[in-house]
C-alpha cells in the first residue's frame, strides 16, 4: 500500500494561514498560563497602549521583540505568562470627548460628570478595543484570559490601596505648589509630560526705575507679560555692578507697585544684564527665590491661559495677546530699551501641544525622595533592575537623583477619582484650599471617619480631580497580578522577568514602576529592562504625527503578511537598543525590506514542499534521527547545531537581530541553496537505498529543527509547515508553539568540517560564476582545473570532488599541486569495467606473446631468443601501461582518442601552467585555490569577444557623458546635491564595470 504524501499548496498564502493559526492559538488557550504548574517562571507585562490609539510601527516593533522572547522562553520549558492590557489615557480621552461635545455645542460642565463618564465608557466599549484587535493581528502570544485595563475593578482597588497607604505614611500630601499647567487641557501635568522645544523668540529689555529717582536697572525677559506679577528684581550678591543696590526698591512699570532688589546666588551675572525679574507665581526658580526671601506670590493667569484681575487693564486677554499689548504699553511709556532675536527652549505640554504655564496651584503630591532613594539603593547595591544596553543605567540613575515631588492630581473626570473627601460643611459648602478632608478606601469609610472627626451633620464631597495616569501605570507589574491580594499569580510570576520598552518612557513609566514596587513589594518589579530603539523612516528620520512620516504597519501586513513585517523589524536590529530604518516607497506603499522577508518565507515554503515530496509520506519521527556518514550530511548537521548554539546565545543576551540574521543565512544559504541541491541525486528512486534513507532522515530532521528555531520570529508559517510535516490530525491541539526549542549537541559540531566544506562551496560558487561570466550554456559540461600548494586543501577538494562535479556541471576535474596533477573523470555507472577490460586485454596480449613464441620456437636459435624477448616485452608493456590509474588513463586516451579533437584526458593531464598557456581560459580564485576553466570547444570565443567589446563601447560612451556633466561647473554648482551625488555614483559604477569587462576581454586574448 502506497503511503499518502502530505504536501503544502504550491503557493504560500500568509493571510489565510495567519488568521487560521491566530484563531487556533486563542481558541485552544495555547498561551494560558498556569501558576500551579512547574517550570521556572518567565513573565512579561505588556507596556499598556492607550485605548485611544491604533497600531503604529512602534507598537509593531516592540510587540515583535517581546513575542520573540516570550515564545523562545516558552519553548525552553519555562512557565510563561505574557499579560496584556491597555491604559485609560485620561488626557487623550478627554481631548477626544471634549472635541465631540464642542461639535455639538456643549461642554462637559454642562453635561455633568455622571453623563460625561457614561460617554467615556461607551466610547471605550466602541473604540477602545481597536488596538487590542490590531495586536491580535500581530499574532502576539499573550494570555488574553488575563487582559487588564487600568480602570477595571481590580486595578482600581490597587490604586486606592496605594494612595491611602502612601497618605497614611505621610508620603502623599496636599499643598500649594508651582505646577506645570496646560491651558489646553486645563490640567496640571507632570515634569515628564513636558516636552522642551527650541524656538526662535525674542529677548525684551526694560528699565525698572529706582523708587528714589536715582536711576534704574535694566532687566531682560522672554515672557514680558509675566512682569505684571513681578514682586522683586534679583542680582547676584557678588556682582560688583549691583551689590550696592541690594535692599533698595523699584517702581514696577504699568502696575506702579514698589518691589525690592534682592541678592540671590541663583542669579547668573552673565545672562542678559545680570538683573532678573522675579515672578514667584509663574517660574520655578522664582518660586524658590520667593520662598527664600518671603516675597508675595501674585498669580496673574486664569486656568485657561487668560490674564486674571491681577493683570489690571490686561485682564481677560489671552496670554499671548497680553504679551504684545504689554510690550506696546512699555514702549509707549519709554521703558522698552531693545528687542533681540533669541533662540531659547520653551516647555510644551506633551498632551495639549501648547506651551505650559508654571502656575501656583493647590494639588496632591507624592514625596518622591524616599521612594526614589529606595530604588537607587536597589540599583547601586544589587544592579537591580539590569538595563540592556547598560548605557541606560546612568540615564535612569540620574533621573532618580534629580526627581522632585510628583504632582499626581489632574483636573479631569476620566480616571481614578482621588479617594479624598472634603468636609465642605466647614467652608460654607465649597472646596477651598483650606477645606479639611479625610482619605479613605471607600465612601462608607470616608463617612465614618468624617463623622468621627466633624460630627454627624458633616457634609462630604469627594475631590473632583483624578490621579495622574502614571500613578496607576506605576503599579502595573504587580496590580495586574492581583496585588494587594496575595494571589497565586502574584506568588508565581512576580517579580516579572523582562520589561521591553522604549527609552522615551524610562522617565514616564520605568522609574514610576521601580519606585512604587520598591515601596510596596520590597523588590524591583522586573529583573531586566531591555530598552529598544526607534523605527525610523526611509530617510532615517524619527516617525511622528507632526512630520507626517509614519508608516502604517497594517498596510504592510495586508500587502506582505504579519510574519514578513515582524521578521523585518527584528532582523533590522543591529544591536540591542539600536534604532532601525525601514525602507519604504510612499508612492507605491511598498517596502523592499518587508518584501525581502516575504521572499524568505516563500523560500522556506518551497524548500519544505520539496522535502515533504521526497520523504515517501513519512514524518521526522517515523524516519528517526540520522546517523550521518556522508560528508554533506555531517556538514549540514554540524551547521545546524552550530546555529542552534549561536541563536540561543544571541537571544539569551538580547541579540535578537543577530539571531534572526543567523537563522536566515542558515536556512536560505546552507539548507536551501546547498544541502538540498547536494542530496537531490541521492533522492532518486534508483539511488543507493541506504544513502537515500540517510538523506531523507537528514532533510526531515533539519527541517523540523529549522521550524522550531524560526518559530519565535515567524510563528504562523512555521506552525503551518510543522503541522503538515508532522502530519497532525485535523482535531489535534498539538502546536509547534509548545514544542521544545532545539538544544545544541556539542558532539555534532565540527568546525573543521565546516571550514573544509566552505572551501568546497566556495569552489563550486566560483566555477558557477566563471561559467556565467564566460556565458557557458547552462547544460554544457566543462573541464575545470584546480591548483593549490596546500596539501590539506587538495585533500578537501578530492574528498568533495563529486559535489564539485555534480553542482558545477564539470566533466573532467583536475586537482593539482605544483607539477603533480590528480585527474578525476566523470563517475559512471560502469565504474571499474575499464580496469577489468584492460586486465583481460593484458592477458590476451600475454597469450599472443606465447603463441608467437610457440611459432618460432621450432626455428633453430630464434626460438629461445624470441621467447625470452616476448616475455620481457609483455611484462614491460603491462607494467608500463596497465598497472597505475594514471598510465591506464593515458593509454585509454591514445587508444580511443577521436582523430581530430584533442582528448579531454590530454588536457587534464597537463600541468596547469601548461594548460593555461595552451588554450584560452577563464580563471578565478577561492581562498588559495586557483580555478581555471578552458574555454576552447565550450564557448564561441570570437562571439563573446565581440559582445564584450560592444558592452565596453556602450559603457565608455556613458562614462564620457557623466564625466562631461561633472566637469561642467554650472551643473555641479546649480544642480541639487542629491542629483550631483547620484551622477558621481553612476560614474564610479560605470568605471568599475569597465574595469571588469576589460579584465574579461584580456583573459580571452
Amino acid at each position: 500500500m502506497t503511503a499518502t504524501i502530505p504536501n503544502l499548496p504550491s503557493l504560500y498564502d500568509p493571510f489565510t494561514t495567519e488568521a487560521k493559526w491566530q484563531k487556533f492559538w486563542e481558541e485552544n488557550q495555547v498561551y494560558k498560563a498556569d501558576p500551579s504548574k512547574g517550570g521556572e517562571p518567565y513573565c512579561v507585562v505588556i507596556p499598556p497602549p492607550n485605548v485611544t490609539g491604533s497600531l503604529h510601527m512602534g507598537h509593531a516593533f516592540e510587540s515583535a521583540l517581546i513575542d520573540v522572547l516570550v515564545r523562545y522562553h516558552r519553548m525552553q520549558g519555562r512557565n510563561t505568562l505574557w499579560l496584556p492590557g491597555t491604559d485609560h489615557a485620561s488626557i487623550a480621552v478627554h481631548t477626544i470627548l471634549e472635541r465631540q461635545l464642542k461639535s455639538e455645542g456643549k461642554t462637559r460642565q454642562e453635561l455633568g460628570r455622571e453623563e460625561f463618564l457614561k460617554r467615556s465608557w461607551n466610547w471605550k466599549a466602541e473604540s477602545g478595543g481597536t488596538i487590542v484587535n490590531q495586536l491580535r493581528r500581530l499574532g502576539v502570544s499573550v494570555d488574553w484570559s488575563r487582559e487588564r485595563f487600568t480602570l477595571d475593578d481590580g486595578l482600581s482597588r490597587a490604586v486606592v490601596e496605594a494612595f491611602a497607604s502612601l497618605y497614611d505614611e505621610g508620603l502623599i500630601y496636599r499643598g500649594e505648589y508651582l505646577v506645570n499647567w496646560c491651558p489646553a487641557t486645563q490640567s496640571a501635568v507632570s515634569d515628564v509630560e513636558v516636552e522642551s522645544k527650541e524656538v526662535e523668540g525674542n529677548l525684551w529689555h526694560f528699565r525698572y526705575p529706582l523708587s528714589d529717582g536715582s536711576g534704574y536697572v535694566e532687566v531682560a525677559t522672554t515672557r514680558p507679560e509675566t512682569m505684571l506679577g513681578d514682586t522683586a528684581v534679583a542680582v547676584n550678591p557678588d556682582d560688583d555692578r549691583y551689590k550696592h543696590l541690594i535692599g533698595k526698591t523699584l517702581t514696577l512699570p504699568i502696575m506702579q507697585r514698589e518691589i525690592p532688589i534682592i541678592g540671590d546666588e541663583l542669579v547668573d551675572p552673565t545672562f542678559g544684564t545680570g538683573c532678573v525679574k522675579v515672578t514667584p507665581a509663574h517660574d520655578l526658580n522664582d518660586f524658590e527665590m520667593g520662598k527664600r526671601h518671603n516675597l508675595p506670590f501674585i498669580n496673574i493667569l486664569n486656568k485657561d491661559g487668560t490674564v486674571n484681575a491681577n493683570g489690571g487693564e490686561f485682564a481677560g486677554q489671552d496670554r499671548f495677546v497680553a504679551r504684545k499689548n504689554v510690550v506696546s504699553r512699555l514702549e509707549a511709556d519709554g521703558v522698552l530699551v531693545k528687542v533681540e532675536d533669541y533662540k531659547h527652549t520653551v516647555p510644551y505640554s506633551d498632551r495639549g501641544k501648547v506651551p505650559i504655564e508654571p502656575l501656583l496651584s493647590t494639588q496632591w503630591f507624592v514625596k518622591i525622595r524616599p521612594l526614589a532613594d529606595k530604588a537607587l539603593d536597589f540599583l547601586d547595591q544589587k544592579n537591580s533592575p539590569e538595563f540592556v544596553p547598560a548605557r541606560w543605567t546612568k540615564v535612569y540613575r540620574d533621573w532618580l537623583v534629580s526627581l522632585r515631588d510628583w504632582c499626581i492630581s489632574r483636573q479631569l473626570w476620566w480616571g481614578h477619582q482621588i479617594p479624598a473627601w472634603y468636609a465642605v460643611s466647614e467652608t460654607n459648602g465649597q472646596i477651598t484650599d483650606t477645606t479639611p478632608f479625610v482619605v479613605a478606601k471607600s465612601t462608607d469609610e470616608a463617612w465614618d471617619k468624617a463623622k468621627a472627626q466633624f460630627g454627624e451633620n458633616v457634609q462630604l464631597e469627594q475631590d473632583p480631580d483624578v490621579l495622574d495616569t502614571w500613578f496607576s501605570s506605576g503599579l502595573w507589574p504587580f496590580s495586574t497580578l492581583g496585588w494587594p491580594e496575595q494571589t497565586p499569580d502574584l506568588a508565581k510570576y512576580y517579580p516579572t522577568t523582562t520589561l521591553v520598552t522604549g527609552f522615551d518612557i524610562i522617565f514616564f513609566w520605568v522609574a514610576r514602576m521601580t519606585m512604587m514596587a520598591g515601596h510596596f513589594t520590597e523588590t524591583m518589579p522586573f529583573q531586566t529592562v531591555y530598552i529598544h530603539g526607534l523605527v525610523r523612516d526611509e530617510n532615517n528620520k524619527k516617525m511622528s504625527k507632526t512630520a507626517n512620516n509614519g508608516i502604517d504597519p497594517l498596510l504592510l501586513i495586508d500587502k506582505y503578511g504579519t510574519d514578513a513585517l515582524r521578521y523585518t523589524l527584528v532582523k533590522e536590529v543591529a544591536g540591542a537598543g539600536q534604532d532601525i530604518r525601514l525602507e519604504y516607497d510612499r508612492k507605491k506603499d511598498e517596502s523592499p525590506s518587508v518584501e525581502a522577508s516575504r521572499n524568505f518565507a516563500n523560500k522556506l515554503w518551497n524548500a519544505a514542499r520539496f522535502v515533504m515530496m521526497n520523504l515517501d509520506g513519512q514524518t521526522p519521527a517515523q524516519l528517526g534521527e540520522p546517523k550521518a556518514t556522508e560528508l554533506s550530511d555531517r556538514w549540514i548537521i554540524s551547521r545546524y547545531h552550530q546555529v542552534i548554539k549561536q541563536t540561543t546565545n544571541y537571544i539569551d543576551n538580547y541579540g535578537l537581530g543577530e539571531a534572526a540574521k543567523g537563522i536566515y543565512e542558515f536556512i536560505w544559504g546552507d539548507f536551501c541553496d546547498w544541502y538540498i541541491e547536494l542530496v537531490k541525486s541521492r533522492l532518486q528512486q534508483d539511488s543507493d537505498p541506504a544513502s537515500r534513507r540517510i538523506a531523507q532522515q537528514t532533510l526531515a530532521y533539519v527541517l523540523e529543527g529549522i521550524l522550531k528555531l524560526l518559530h519565535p520570529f515567524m510563528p504562523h508559517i512555521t506552525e503551518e509547515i510543522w503541522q503538515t510535516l508532522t502530519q497532525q490530525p485535523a482535531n489535534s491541539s498539538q502546536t509547534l508553539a509548545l514544542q521544545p526549542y532545539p538544544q545544541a549537541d556539542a558532539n555534532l559540531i565540527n568546525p573543521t568540517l565546516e571550514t573544509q566544506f566552505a572551501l568546497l562551496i566556495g569552489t563550486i560558487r566560483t566555477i558557477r560564476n566563471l561559467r556565467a561570466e564566460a556565458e557557458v550554456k547552462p547544460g554544457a559540461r566543462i573541464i575545470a582545473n584546480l591548483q593549490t600548494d596546500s596539501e590539506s586543501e587538495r585533500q578537501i577538494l578530492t574528498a568533495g570532488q563529486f559535489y564539485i562535479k555534480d553542482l558545477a556541471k564539470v566533466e573532467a576535474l583536475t586537482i593539482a599541486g605544483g607539477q603533480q596533477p590528480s585527474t578525476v573523470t566523470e563517475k559512471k555507472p560502469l565504474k571499474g569495467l575499464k580496469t577489468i577490460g584492460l586486465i583481460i586485454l593484458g592477458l590476451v596480449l600475454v597469450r599472443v606473446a606465447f603463441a608467437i613464441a610457440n611459432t618460432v620456437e621450432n626455428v633453430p636459435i630464434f626460438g629461445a631468443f624470441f621467447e625470452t624477448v616476448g616475455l620481457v616485452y609483455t611484462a614491460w608493456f603491462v607494467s608500463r601501461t596497465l598497472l597505475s590509474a594514471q598510465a591506464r588513463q593515458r593509454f585509454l586516451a591514445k587508444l580511443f582518442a577521436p582523430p581530430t579533437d584533442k582528448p579531454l584526458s590530454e588536457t587534464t593531464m597537463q600541468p596547469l601552467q601548461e594548460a593555461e598557456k595552451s588554450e584560452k581560459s577563464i580563471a578565478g580564485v577561492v581562498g588559495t585555490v586557483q580555478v581555471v576553466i578552458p574555454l576552447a570547444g565550450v564557448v564561441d570565443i570570437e562571439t563573446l569577444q565581440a559582445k564584450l567589446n560592444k558592452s565596453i563601447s556602450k559603457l565608455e560612451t556613458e562614462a564620457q557623458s557623466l564625466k562631461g556633466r561633472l566637469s561642467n561647473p554650472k551643473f555641479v554648482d546649480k544642480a541639487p546635491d542629491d542629483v550631483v551625488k547620484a551622477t558621481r555614483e553612476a560614474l564610479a559604477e560605470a568605471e568599475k564595470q569597465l574595469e571588469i569587462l576589460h579584465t574579461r576581454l584580456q583573459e580571452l586574448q
Side-chain angles (χ1 to χ4, degrees):
M1 185 175 179
T2 304
T4 302
I5 298 177
N7 203 3
L8 298 166
S10 58
L11 295 175
Y12 174 54
D13 177 8
F15 314 107
T16 302
T17 299
E18 289 167 358
K20 176 176 73 173
W21 291 113
Q22 287 163 13
K23 181 181 179 183
F24 173 88
W25 293 326
E26 193 165 342
E27 287 182 349
N28 286 276
Q29 296 187 323
V30 170
Y31 308 126
K32 184 175 177 62
D34 185 348
S36 67
K37 289 186 176 180
E40 182 184 358
Y42 185 87
C43 180
V44 174
V45 290
I46 195 171
N50 292 340
V51 289
T52 58
S54 60
L55 190 69
H56 58 66
M57 200 57 74
H59 289 131
F61 180 42
E62 185 171 83
S63 297
L65 292 172
I66 299 174
D67 204 37
V68 169
L69 292 170
V70 170
R71 288 181 181 272
Y72 167 76
H73 285 288
R74 185 182 291 114
M75 295 177 76
Q76 288 280 15
R78 299 182 70 172
N79 190 325
T80 304
L81 167 62
W82 183 7
L83 192 148
T86 49
D87 189 276
H88 62 279
S90 288
I91 296 176
V93 171
H94 258 267
T95 302
I96 291 170
L97 294 182
E98 289 192 314
R99 191 182 299 129
Q100 291 178 358
L101 289 171
K102 185 177 182 180
S103 68
E104 299 171 13
K106 302 176 183 176
T107 66
R108 65 179 167 110
Q109 286 75 17
E110 293 171 348
L111 192 66
R113 187 180 193 117
E114 185 176 345
E115 286 301 315
F116 183 84
L117 290 178
K118 281 183 181 179
R119 277 206 179 203
S120 301
W121 282 106
N122 288 338
W123 182 90
K124 193 266 180 186
E126 294 171 6
S127 306
T130 299
I131 196 165
V132 170
N133 293 329
Q134 291 172 339
L135 285 171
R136 279 182 159 94
R137 285 205 64 188
L138 282 174
V140 292
S141 60
V142 302
D143 182 351
W144 288 111
S145 70
R146 284 175 165 83
E147 182 182 353
R148 304 306 299 266
F149 177 53
T150 46
L151 285 181
D152 68 31
D153 291 341
L155 269 64
S156 294
R157 285 195 300 273
V159 166
V160 170
E161 176 70 27
F163 185 97
S165 177
L166 289 171
Y167 177 78
D168 290 342
E169 295 174 52
L171 295 177
I172 283 183
Y173 64 94
R174 185 170 185 257
E176 188 178 55
Y177 199 77
L178 204 64
V179 299
N180 300 309
W181 187 264
C182 173
T185 60
Q186 294 194 39
S187 175
V189 296
S190 67
D191 290 341
V192 293
E193 293 170 303
V194 175
E195 180 184 5
S196 295
K197 296 182 180 180
E198 191 171 64
V199 300
E200 298 287 347
N202 297 106
L203 188 65
W204 287 270
H205 292 250
F206 305 118
R207 294 191 184 104
Y208 283 17
L210 288 161
S211 299
D212 61 9
S214 61
Y216 59 86
V217 296
E218 185 178 318
V219 299
T221 181
T222 59
R223 300 164 66 213
E225 71 282 4
T226 61
M227 60 87 61
L228 301 172
D230 284 355
T231 56
V233 167
V235 299
N236 192 291
D238 296 324
D239 190 336
D240 292 335
R241 295 172 297 172
Y242 305 115
K243 60 184 178 181
H244 66 285
L245 297 176
I246 296 173
K248 291 191 174 185
T249 61
L250 300 163
T251 301
L252 182 65
I254 301 179
M255 305 306 292
Q256 297 301 305
R257 188 166 57 242
E258 194 167 343
I259 59 176
I261 299 175
I262 61 174
D264 197 288
E265 293 180 351
L266 186 66
V267 178
D268 179 4
T270 65
F271 173 76
T273 62
C275 297
V276 296
K277 54 190 286 303
V278 182
T279 319
H282 293 285
D283 181 273
L284 185 59
N285 291 328
D286 293 2
F287 177 79
E288 298 297 336
M289 276 197 283
K291 290 195 296 183
R292 284 195 293 272
H293 297 275
N294 296 315
L295 298 174
F297 287 70
I298 301 175
N299 174 29
I300 64 161
L301 291 177
N302 295 313
K303 292 183 177 180
D304 62 356
T306 58
V307 177
N308 63 22
N310 291 331
E313 65 188 80
F314 305 99
Q317 297 180 7
D318 177 79
R319 53 182 170 157
F320 297 116
V321 173
R323 175 176 296 178
K324 294 178 181 179
N325 292 336
V326 166
V327 171
S328 297
R329 169 67 187 276
L330 292 172
E331 184 177 19
D333 290 348
V335 297
L336 175 63
V337 178
K338 61 180 178 179
V339 182
E340 296 178 308
D341 291 334
Y342 187 66
K343 183 181 290 187
H344 63 121
T345 300
V346 174
Y348 274 72
S349 166
D350 184 61
R351 291 296 184 186
K353 308 302 180 185
V354 297
I356 64 103
E357 284 292 341
L359 190 69
L360 199 62
S361 178
T362 299
Q363 303 285 344
W364 290 92
F365 295 88
V366 173
K367 288 184 180 178
I368 212 68
R369 282 274 37 101
L371 278 65
D373 289 343
K374 195 163 193 174
L376 280 169
D377 285 342
F378 274 102
L379 184 67
D380 294 340
Q381 302 300 323
K382 301 178 181 179
N383 191 32
S384 180
E386 180 181 0
F387 279 79
V388 178
R391 66 177 181 273
W392 290 107
T393 304
K394 183 178 186 303
V395 175
Y396 165 73
R397 190 183 193 285
D398 290 347
W399 182 257
L400 288 176
V401 168
S402 62
L403 279 175
R404 293 185 295 228
D405 284 0
W406 174 18
C407 176
I408 57 172
S409 46
R410 299 290 181 268
Q411 287 63 54
L412 306 169
W413 289 348
W414 172 247
H416 294 102
Q417 192 169 356
I418 293 174
W421 283 260
Y422 295 92
V424 292
S425 51
E426 304 297 307
T427 51
N428 299 319
Q430 300 291 322
I431 298 176
T432 70
D433 291 348
T434 59
T435 303
F437 59 86
V438 294
V439 170
K441 297 178 183 179
S442 67
T443 302
D444 290 342
E445 183 183 342
W447 278 106
D448 290 342
K449 285 185 174 182
K451 289 176 180 178
Q453 188 173 349
F454 304 107
E456 288 292 328
N457 296 324
V458 66
Q459 295 177 19
L460 286 183
E461 186 175 330
Q462 188 173 357
D463 195 312
D465 293 348
V466 298
L467 287 167
D468 177 13
T469 302
W470 296 106
F471 188 91
S472 55
S473 296
L475 308 174
W476 184 256
F478 48 97
S479 64
T480 52
L481 296 173
W483 184 92
E485 296 177 19
Q486 293 303 307
T487 64
D489 276 4
L490 191 66
K492 182 70 175 182
Y493 300 114
Y494 187 82
T496 65
T497 315
T498 306
L499 174 70
V500 180
T501 189
F503 63 84
D504 50 338
I505 59 172
I506 291 178
F507 324 119
F508 285 90
W509 190 40
V510 179
R512 302 281 191 238
M513 288 188 286
T514 58
M515 289 188 294
M516 290 290 207
H519 182 78
F520 289 115
T521 72
E522 296 295 329
T523 186
M524 289 295 94
F526 21 74
Q527 297 168 16
T528 306
V529 181
Y530 171 46
I531 300 294
H532 62 73
L534 301 174
V535 184
R536 295 185 176 273
D537 70 5
E538 66 277 15
N539 298 311
N540 207 35
K541 294 181 179 178
K542 178 181 177 181
M543 293 185 194
S544 68
K545 291 181 181 178
T546 305
N548 195 30
N549 64 338
I551 301 172
D552 184 358
L554 294 176
L555 187 151
L556 295 179
I557 287 173
D558 290 339
K559 188 178 288 287
Y560 303 110
T562 295
D563 280 349
L565 177 63
R566 286 171 50 126
Y567 187 73
T568 300
L569 293 172
V570 177
K571 187 168 73 73
E572 290 296 317
V573 180
Q578 297 300 307
D579 291 351
I580 67 170
R581 185 173 73 88
L582 188 63
E583 293 181 278
Y584 190 63
D585 184 334
R586 293 183 182 275
K587 293 180 180 178
K588 299 179 180 179
D589 284 329
E590 295 176 349
S591 171
S593 53
V594 183
E595 183 178 5
S597 294
R598 183 199 61 189
N599 295 342
F600 173 53
N602 290 338
K603 181 84 169 181
L604 174 62
W605 184 264
N606 292 330
R609 290 186 73 243
F610 172 83
V611 171
M612 282 185 267
M613 284 189 293
N614 285 280
L615 297 184
D616 297 334
Q618 298 178 90
T619 66
Q622 292 167 341
L623 286 164
E625 288 193 20
K627 290 183 171 56
T629 55
E630 295 201 24
L631 190 66
S632 60
D633 302 332
R634 290 190 292 114
W635 166 73
I636 195 65
I637 289 174
S638 176
R639 287 290 305 123
Y640 167 60
H641 282 274
Q642 187 75 265
V643 170
I644 296 172
K645 179 182 177 182
Q646 171 185 297
T647 302
T648 54
N649 181 62
Y650 275 135
I651 298 179
D652 287 343
N653 291 282
Y654 299 94
L656 305 187
E658 292 87 346
K661 285 189 278 285
I663 296 174
Y664 175 96
E665 290 164 2
F666 173 71
I667 294 174
W668 191 298
D670 295 339
F671 186 67
C672 296
D673 284 353
W674 291 106
Y675 183 70
I676 287 179
E677 294 301 316
L678 288 166
V679 299
K680 276 183 177 178
S681 61
R682 294 165 57 196
L683 296 172
Q684 301 302 315
Q685 291 295 335
D686 59 352
S687 64
D688 177 60
S691 176
R692 185 171 184 269
R693 177 75 176 181
I694 293 174
Q696 290 176 322
Q697 289 174 326
T698 306
L699 282 168
Y701 170 75
V702 176
L703 176 59
E704 185 176 20
I706 280 171
L707 298 175
K708 293 176 181 178
L709 277 176
L710 186 61
H711 181 73
F713 301 88
M714 302 181 85
H716 304 89
I717 187 173
T718 52
E719 183 77 71
E720 177 75 11
I721 296 173
W722 182 84
Q723 293 279 342
T724 307
L725 176 67
T726 58
Q727 299 180 39
Q728 297 297 322
N731 60 351
S732 172
S733 61
Q734 290 294 311
T735 170
L736 175 59
L738 299 180
Q739 296 301 304
Y741 204 72
Q743 300 295 313
D745 185 341
N747 295 321
L748 296 176
I749 297 175
N750 188 336
T752 302
L753 174 62
E754 292 182 32
T755 301
Q756 293 172 346
F757 218 86
L759 177 64
L760 291 178
I761 289 174
T763 302
I764 295 167
R765 186 181 287 117
T766 300
I767 295 174
R768 286 174 166 179
N769 291 341
L770 291 174
R771 288 177 62 107
E773 288 179 17
E775 299 185 13
V776 176
K777 292 180 181 178
R781 303 193 77 82
I782 62 169
I783 299 166
N785 301 321
L786 310 178
Q787 180 172 313
T788 174
D789 291 331
S790 168
E791 175 63 27
S792 62
E793 287 185 339
R794 289 197 298 275
Q795 291 176 357
I796 296 165
L797 295 171
T798 301
Q801 57 191 295
F802 173 77
Y803 303 127
I804 297 172
K805 297 184 68 178
D806 188 29
L807 296 190
K809 291 186 173 63
V810 174
E811 178 74 23
L813 177 67
T814 297
I815 302 169
Q819 298 296 322
Q820 303 297 324
S822 170
T823 304
V824 181
T825 56
E826 182 75 12
K827 288 188 177 181
K828 302 293 183 183
L830 301 179
K831 180 180 178 181
L833 291 182
K834 288 183 179 179
T835 303
I836 296 171
L838 289 172
I839 293 172
I840 294 171
L841 179 61
L843 294 173
V844 170
L845 290 173
V846 171
R847 183 70 184 88
V848 170
F850 277 105
I852 295 171
N854 288 333
T855 302
V856 298
E857 69 178 348
N858 294 321
V859 180
I861 302 172
F862 287 102
F865 175 77
F866 275 110
E867 183 177 354
T868 303
V869 171
L871 288 171
V872 171
Y873 177 81
T874 300
W876 173 85
F877 179 85
V878 171
S879 65
R880 177 72 175 82
T881 310
L882 304 177
L883 291 184
S884 72
Q886 193 172 14
R888 288 196 302 273
Q889 288 171 346
R890 186 162 52 239
F891 172 74
L892 190 64
K894 289 179 179 179
L895 191 63
F896 298 104
T900 54
D901 295 334
K902 187 183 225 182
L904 293 177
S905 57
E906 285 190 21
T907 302
T908 58
M909 279 308 300
Q910 297 179 51
L912 290 185
Q913 295 90 339
E914 295 301 320
E916 292 166 23
K917 294 175 184 176
S918 65
E919 55 183 274
K920 294 171 182 177
S921 60
I922 188 167
V925 176
V926 53
T928 62
V929 177
Q930 184 181 16
V931 181
V932 180
I933 300 176
L935 298 178
V938 180
V939 298
D940 186 335
I941 293 176
E942 290 184 359
T943 301
L944 182 57
Q945 287 174 328
K947 188 173 182 179
L948 288 172
N949 278 318
K950 184 177 180 180
S951 297
I952 288 171
S953 177
K954 182 179 179 181
L955 277 170
E956 286 177 339
T957 301
E958 181 183 340
Q960 195 62 36
S961 173
L962 293 170
K963 286 179 181 177
R965 295 178 71 186
L966 291 170
S967 63
N968 184 348
K970 292 183 179 179
F971 171 75
V972 176
D973 295 339
K974 294 183 179 180
D977 291 343
D978 58 339
V979 174
V980 176
K981 180 183 177 183
T983 305
R984 289 197 173 99
E985 290 173 351
L987 177 59
E989 181 64 23
E991 291 175 337
K992 181 180 178 181
Q993 290 296 323
L994 277 170
E995 182 182 352
I996 293 171
L997 293 179
H998 278 299
T999 300
R1000 291 181 186 172
L1001 188 61
Q1002 187 176 5
E1003 290 173 344
L1004 298 175
Q1005 300 302 320

